[in-house]
Amino acid sequence: MNTDQRIKAKCLELGFSAARIARVEEAAHAREYADWLEEGRHGEMAYMGKDPERREDPSRLFPGALSAVVVAMPQPVGPPGPISRYARSEDYHDAMWARLNALLAFVKTLHPGANGRGYVDTAPILERDLAAAGGLGWIGKNTCLITPGVGSFYFLGELLLDVELEPDPPIGQHCGSCRRCLDACPTGAFVGPYVLDARRCISYLTIELKGSIPEELRPLIGNMVFGCDICQDVCPHNKWAPAASPLQARHDLDAPDLIDFLSMDEAAFRERFRGTPILRAKRRGFLRNVCVALGNLRDVRAVPALERAKSDPEPLVREHAAWALHCIAGR
């Protein structure tokens, strides 16, 4: 077993479900990404337009980088529900950073003097391009990275290194004529294959958008209150999603009673979702989403809780609670 094979074997030992090596170079879809930003399809995610030069080439982020070990960590398996699967577990950032640091320490035993840095979706890297270049998977029509035998329900991480490793070859496209993901999106967020307008994506609307959800899109969100898995649920490649994950699952979030969420004050919200990605939405954003979901469900049992929410300290919650009550009343 050569050193590159030993590195990939170590990745599996650390709990990653797949690992490949990519050469650090300009991203294949840098031009398409720039066009996407210019068209405003990133919505309010201004951070995605920062440092465009560094996004195009990871060696500008980590000077001297020659190779990248790209890894996938499986998400905990769970049934479809109002909270995206990835958020029904401990926050993946710390778990992956710890493992990437352990991987770096291992690489240094094979390549003394090597330097590296691990990244987990918090740095300007077009990580799906990097992963696809190294053969970890291909970018599907729903813009998710799909790995053979693994699917797309996983988190991506990268270890940039200043040593030259043998890159793995890309594997090419395997979506064929399938368009289930495109047709299943309730909000019509896909402009076409491989092009997502985030402004219509349920994940964007329930996580990244900080203000009011456009009224014309609220009925299309259904019962989703944080994120969305629909375009992945229908993907046939996810039939082989790994059954195990090193991340601790939160099964209490698989099928929660949405009405109960409206009784949470700030302290209760932080305690209930401590250590999960749901904190990213903040209480006001999360309860905004809960109100929309309850309005779409039209469950009269939610009326008392929504009436109380009309007096919430947050104007955003009050607005969406009133909308939900109108929906339940049939107006």
Side-chain angles (χ1 to χ4, degrees):
M1 184 182 294
N2 63 33
T3 56
D4 294 357
Q5 292 170 329
R6 291 176 66 185
I7 289 171
K8 286 183 274 191
K10 184 65 176 181
C11 291
L12 301 181
E13 181 185 316
L14 288 169
F16 296 116
S17 56
R20 295 294 186 273
I21 294 170
R23 179 178 289 112
V24 171
E25 57 191 4
E26 183 173 342
H29 294 95
R31 180 66 259 168
E32 288 84 351
Y33 184 75
D35 292 342
W36 184 77
L37 290 172
E38 189 174 335
E39 291 159 359
R41 301 194 190 281
H42 59 308
E44 295 182 2
M45 297 183 288
Y47 63 87
M48 299 195 76
K50 292 181 180 178
D51 301 316
E53 295 82 9
R54 290 203 293 173
R55 285 186 188 272
E56 291 174 7
D57 187 344
S59 66
R60 295 173 182 168
L61 177 66
F62 182 60
L66 297 172
S67 305
V69 182
V70 189
V71 296
M73 176 175 283
Q75 300 171 13
V77 174
I83 296 174
S84 182
R85 288 176 179 83
Y86 91 90
R88 292 182 241 160
S89 68
E90 62 177 306
D91 195 305
Y92 58 94
H93 293 92
D94 289 342
M96 292 192 72
W97 271 321
R99 287 166 170 80
L100 287 171
N101 287 335
L103 179 62
L104 176 58
F106 177 74
V107 170
K108 288 183 174 182
T109 67
L110 304 176
H111 296 274
N115 294 297
R117 189 178 301 163
Y119 299 93
V120 185
D121 79 14
T122 55
I125 298 178
L126 297 182
E127 58 182 6
R128 286 169 298 172
D129 261 23
L130 192 60
L136 187 70
W138 72 92
I139 298 175
K141 292 178 182 177
N142 62 0
T143 73
C144 293
L145 191 80
I146 303 171
T147 297
V150 176
S152 62
F153 282 115
Y154 57 78
F155 304 108
L156 271 178
E158 305 82 39
L159 178 63
L160 299 186
L161 297 165
D162 63 358
V163 295
E164 192 152 4
L165 305 176
E166 182 65 29
D168 291 298
I171 59 176
Q173 260 287 346
H174 291 275
C175 286
S177 61
C178 179
R179 51 175 294 122
R180 295 182 197 180
C181 56
L182 308 180
D183 297 335
C185 179
T187 56
F190 293 105
V191 179
Y194 317 109
V195 183
L196 173 74
D197 189 335
R199 296 167 296 185
R200 297 187 64 88
C201 175
I202 294 175
S203 286
Y204 170 83
L205 294 169
T206 58
I207 302 174
E208 300 291 349
L209 183 67
K210 303 309 177 189
S212 298
I213 296 175
E215 286 201 36
E216 68 274 16
L217 295 179
R218 294 177 193 178
L220 306 179
I221 289 175
N223 72 333
M224 299 304 299
V225 299
F226 190 88
C228 180
D229 293 330
I230 292 172
C231 69
Q232 296 186 83
D233 284 333
V234 300
C235 177
H237 292 282
N238 278 320
K239 292 187 294 186
W240 298 284
S245 169
L247 299 171
Q248 183 66 43
R250 285 282 303 272
H251 293 300
D252 60 307
L253 300 178
D254 285 347
D257 186 335
L258 300 184
I259 298 173
D260 287 346
F261 287 147
L262 288 181
S263 64
M264 296 185 300
D265 60 13
E266 185 66 35
F269 171 76
R270 291 188 170 279
E271 177 61 28
R272 179 73 188 270
F273 299 120
R274 185 166 39 129
T276 75
I278 296 174
L279 292 178
R280 179 176 175 81
K282 301 190 177 350
R283 175 186 177 272
R284 62 180 177 272
F286 185 73
L287 294 194
R288 170 202 63 186
N289 304 338
V290 170
C291 289
V292 171
L294 290 172
N296 289 331
L297 291 171
R298 289 172 168 72
D299 187 343
V300 295
R301 294 181 304 121
V303 169
L306 287 167
E307 288 287 0
R308 290 190 295 272
K310 282 176 62 179
S311 301
D312 193 88
E314 291 287 350
L316 191 65
V317 178
R318 297 199 298 267
E319 175 200 343
H320 290 76
W323 179 87
L325 286 166
H326 278 285
C327 290
I328 295 173
R331 298 195 298 273

